[in-house]
Amino acid sequence: MGSLEREDIRRRAVVIDDEEDLTTYLSAILEENGFSVRTANNAEDGERLIREDTPDLICLDLLMPGKTGINLFLRLRRREEPLKDVPLIIITGIKEQINVDWKDIVSRCKARVPDGFIEKPVTPQRLMRVVNDVLKGECRDRVQFG
Amino acid sequence: MEIVYPIVYKGKSIGTIKAGFFTSSVHAFVNQVMTLYLGVLGSTILVTLLIARSFLRHTTRPIVTLTRIADEISVGNLDMDILFGKRVNCWEIKQCGRKDCAAYTNTAVQCWFVDGTPCEGYEPKFPQKLEGCRKCEVYKTHKGDEIVQLADSFQHMIYIIKSSQVELEKFHKFQSNMIQNSLVGIIAMNEVGVVNIFNRVAESLTGYREPEVVDRLTLNDFFSEDIAVKIQRPLIYDYGIVLRGFKPAETDILNKDKEPIPVRLSGINLYEKEDHLGKVFFFQDLREIKRLRQELIQSERLSATGQAVASISHAIKNILDGLFGGVYIYKRGTRINNEKDTQKGWRMIEKNIGLISELVINLLNYAKERKPIFQKCDPRGIVEDVIETMENKARNNNINMASEYEGDFDNVYLDPQALHQCLINLVSNAIDASPVGRQGHVVVRLESKNGQGIIIEVSDNGMGMSKEVYDNIFQGMVSTKGSTGTGLGLLVVKKIVEEHGGTIVVKSEENKGSSFKIRLPKMPTNDPHVRVSDTP
């Protein structure tokens, strides 16, 4: 696995998923790849982590109890939100989420589309490919899929 | 011949007068007269005979013929040709070419007897049309005296009887067809209770064949005494009203071997004005319906399983993540010699293997139709087994587990595998509902009610359920556990409880806890579908 870290600064990531095993797993992969990771198993804690120290990357599970995941996503990506430009990857177990008409969501909810998707079950290779493509910022208009 | 006549004067015979004629001339005269007389007599007789013969031919013989025909009709023979007078074919005379007309090429009856002939200007129906028909050239060609007209009327009558007979036969066939091919069993009885209709479904359900039953068996051959009394009640006056029938009810019909067959029975009494003609019973084999009901439940369950595939595959993906994650972290741990990681990784692997086993077992249990196999067993052993199995999970979630027993468990019959599955699911859920910020407790309580079945209760002091969740827990794949929950565990519990003929009651209060109380009845002893195993 290639490391994109600079020696003095590790990029910071926040991983939010109600499944503890998954946050442990993603956290392990990202750490191996030069990230320092904070995790949360519910939307409330996750939002707190993001706001107290703006990360370089957010990995968010939409399907959390209640509609907390979706609501958090909409809050973080709405037009007035200063954090809306933080690169955000959706972790998803249901393929349909990827095929959702995000353009429609964007226009109706006035929210920025996610920058990337990673589909469960996650493999280190796929995750890092999406993360790297998203952070390169080369294709900010296009959504990256993994 | 001589005639001597005395002459008498003043009382004295004074002489005689003799007159004489020759007898031969008298004889000749008398002969002449006799001959004439005989001739006239003979002629008269001859003429009379001739007249009588003619009369016979025109009148008496036709009447005799008609009488014979009437006799034939009365015994049901309608295939006679009655031709009196000249046969006329109206279509030949009229040259109308009306093939749509009922009289066209109809040689069975003369056209003036046929209704609805399109001849102009006449009334459509017999006998109103007759007046007009008589003016018609066809009629005039046929033209007959009163005897011929009488014969024509006979012919018309036979024609009508034949048509009615055909209609009647058609109707009878239709009715018979309907009765025989009905999907419902039909048994009809006359006013004294002797069977006169017995259709195919009745045959197949009871094992009797129709000839064995019709005119031989009665109501009491098909219903036990107490049932026979109940279904005959409608005949009894009730507050002055005779009830004509009774609503569908589930009861038993006796088959040929006098075994009771469960059926759904309804019946009506047949009346002609006030005369009771008999009874008709309609019934459906309930065994079939019960089987179909089960199939429906089963197929609903299967379709729910299909619908739940998305939910299940989601849960499986999460479990896979847990396994991949566990392996990844374990490998990292061994690579950098970090024991914390290796242990963490290994725990993740174990946990997710457990989760996938649970999911698969629940899925199979849910989709499969399984009749409980009752065995004599001590349910306390099963409870202890489950507690031991769930010990790790409980510890990881900071939960304290305990068991409580009340009553006598020496004579308990239940399906141990089913009970085990129920407890695993309920205890697992209880642990998952662990409270935040305080010590969690899960208690499994067993109560045996004097051989009347057992009560199993699993209660926790965890998060409890909101009203929305509570209302829907048994409805489908509802879970509060975010990604890994499928709601399948509770559906399986419900299914198992139903299969045992038991009940389940749920109580819950948000942030206080929940309890699931299952009542399993004692094993039914007279249900032929109950399986009992002797091997422990």
Side-chain angles (χ1 to χ4, degrees), chain B residues 220-260:
Chain B
N220 294 304
D221 291 299
F222 294 101
F223 297 103
S224 66
E225 226 177 282
D226 49 325
I227 294 174
V229 164
K230 274 193 208 147
I231 59 180
Q232 284 185 97
R233 260 192 218 140
L235 279 180
I236 299 167
Y237 277 86
D238 195 2
Y239 303 111
I241 301 165
V242 175
L243 301 169
R244 299 257 153 164
F246 57 92
K247 287 189 196 143
E250 294 191 7
T251 183
D252 293 319
I253 268 191
L254 302 173
N255 68 3
K256 200 171 178 181
D257 300 318
K258 299 298 171 196
E259 292 165 339

Side-chain angles (χ1 to χ4, degrees), chain B residues 284-526:
Chain B
Q284 267 177 311
D285 190 343
L286 266 187
R287 298 172 300 185
E288 184 65 22
I289 288 177
K290 278 183 178 157
R291 191 180 61 79
L292 287 171
R293 267 185 211 147
Q294 265 310 101
E295 273 185 22
L296 185 67
I297 292 171
Q298 180 66 352
S299 78
E300 274 175 352
R301 233 181 249 143
L302 282 175
S303 90
T305 310
Q307 284 163 10
V309 163
S311 168
I312 288 165
S313 75
H314 186 68
I316 289 174
K317 282 181 187 174
N318 283 310
I319 291 169
L320 283 175
D321 274 323
L323 289 170
F324 287 149
V327 167
Y328 186 85
I329 290 167
Y330 178 84
K331 274 184 177 171
R332 183 175 77 170
T334 53
R335 198 175 60 240
I336 62 175
N337 228 352
N338 183 337
E339 202 173 319
K340 203 167 140 216
D341 272 355
T342 50
Q343 282 182 359
K344 189 170 169 186
W346 192 250
R347 269 204 306 276
M348 277 170 75
I349 294 168
E350 277 186 329
K351 174 188 158 193
N352 282 283
I353 288 174
L355 284 176
I356 197 114
S357 306
E358 221 177 271
L359 183 65
V360 168
I361 289 171
N362 273 331
L363 202 56
L364 288 174
N365 269 326
Y366 186 65
K368 222 173 18 156
E369 182 64 31
R370 188 175 173 275
K371 288 216 168 68
I373 304 176
F374 288 89
Q375 281 177 27
K376 188 155 185 244
C377 71
D378 190 336
R380 293 175 292 189
I382 298 172
V383 171
E384 295 304 323
D385 196 36
V386 167
I387 289 179
E388 199 187 311
T389 307
M390 302 306 280
E391 209 184 294
N392 276 339
K393 183 170 177 177
R395 201 186 19 229
N396 290 339
N397 285 277
N398 195 24
I399 300 275
N400 212 354
M401 283 207 290
S403 54
E404 284 171 16
Y405 306 115
E406 195 184 314
D408 173 21
F409 295 96
D410 291 332
N411 211 17
V412 175
Y413 281 83
L414 41 76
D415 185 334
Q417 211 186 82
L419 178 63
H420 189 263
Q421 192 57 39
C422 271
L423 282 172
I424 288 277
N425 287 350
L426 289 175
V427 171
S428 181
N429 282 359
I431 295 174
D432 285 332
S434 58
V436 172
R438 59 178 195 274
Q439 173 70 47
H441 297 284
V442 172
V443 178
V444 180
R445 197 176 74 83
L446 273 188
E447 192 185 321
S448 168
K449 306 202 91 181
N450 290 332
Q452 291 306 308
I454 58 168
I455 292 177
I456 304 140
E457 189 172 2
V458 176
S459 39
D460 63 76
N461 66 338
M463 303 184 310
M465 295 177 239
S466 66
K467 185 175 185 305
E468 201 193 323
V469 171
Y470 179 83
D471 287 338
N472 286 307
I473 37 169
F474 291 124
Q475 293 310 314
M477 311 293 270
V478 168
S479 174
T480 54
K481 290 193 272 200
S483 306
T484 27
T486 52
L488 194 50
L490 276 182
L491 288 180
V492 170
V493 168
K494 180 178 173 238
K495 177 177 177 278
I496 289 174
V497 169
E498 276 172 0
E499 279 169 355
H500 279 75
T503 56
I504 178 164
V505 174
V506 182
K507 289 198 181 122
S508 183
E509 203 181 323
E510 269 189 292
N511 295 320
K512 284 258 170 71
S514 310
S515 89
F516 287 77
K517 195 169 184 175
I518 297 173
R519 252 176 241 273
L520 293 181
K522 74 169 186 177
M523 173 183 78
T525 46
N526 52 0

Side-chain angles (χ1 to χ4, degrees), chain A residues 40-88:
Chain A
N41 294 118
N42 62 65
E44 197 186 318
D45 289 344
E47 191 170 1
R48 191 171 38 80
L49 289 178
I50 293 169
R51 292 197 188 280
E52 65 188 21
D53 186 13
T54 310
D56 301 303
L57 174 71
I58 301 171
C59 293
L60 173 64
D61 177 19
L62 280 184
L63 215 73
M64 289 200 286
K67 284 194 177 147
T68 50
I70 300 167
N71 288 337
L72 178 58
F73 166 77
L74 291 173
R75 275 200 304 280
L76 289 175
R77 301 294 268 192
R78 63 175 182 226
R79 212 171 278 161
E80 312 80 49
E81 176 58 60
L83 293 172
K84 73 173 184 300
D85 292 320
V86 175
L88 183 140

Side-chain angles (χ1 to χ4, degrees), chain B residues 126-176:
Chain B
F126 184 86
Q128 289 83 1
K129 66 184 287 195
L130 201 56
E131 200 186 314
C133 290
R134 284 202 175 119
K135 298 175 193 151
C136 173
E137 55 185 317
V138 178
Y139 187 85
K140 286 176 183 166
T141 313
H142 169 71
K143 187 174 67 179
D145 59 10
E146 286 82 354
I147 299 292
V148 170
Q149 284 173 26
L150 183 63
D152 283 344
S153 296
F154 256 73
Q155 205 176 29
H156 181 226
M157 183 180 71
I158 290 172
Y159 179 70
I160 291 191
I161 291 175
K162 262 189 183 166
S163 311
S164 304
Q165 227 181 24
V166 165
E167 283 303 313
L168 212 65
E169 257 176 45
K170 257 203 272 182
F171 179 73
H172 186 258
K173 256 195 196 131
F174 177 76
Q175 202 183 45
S176 187

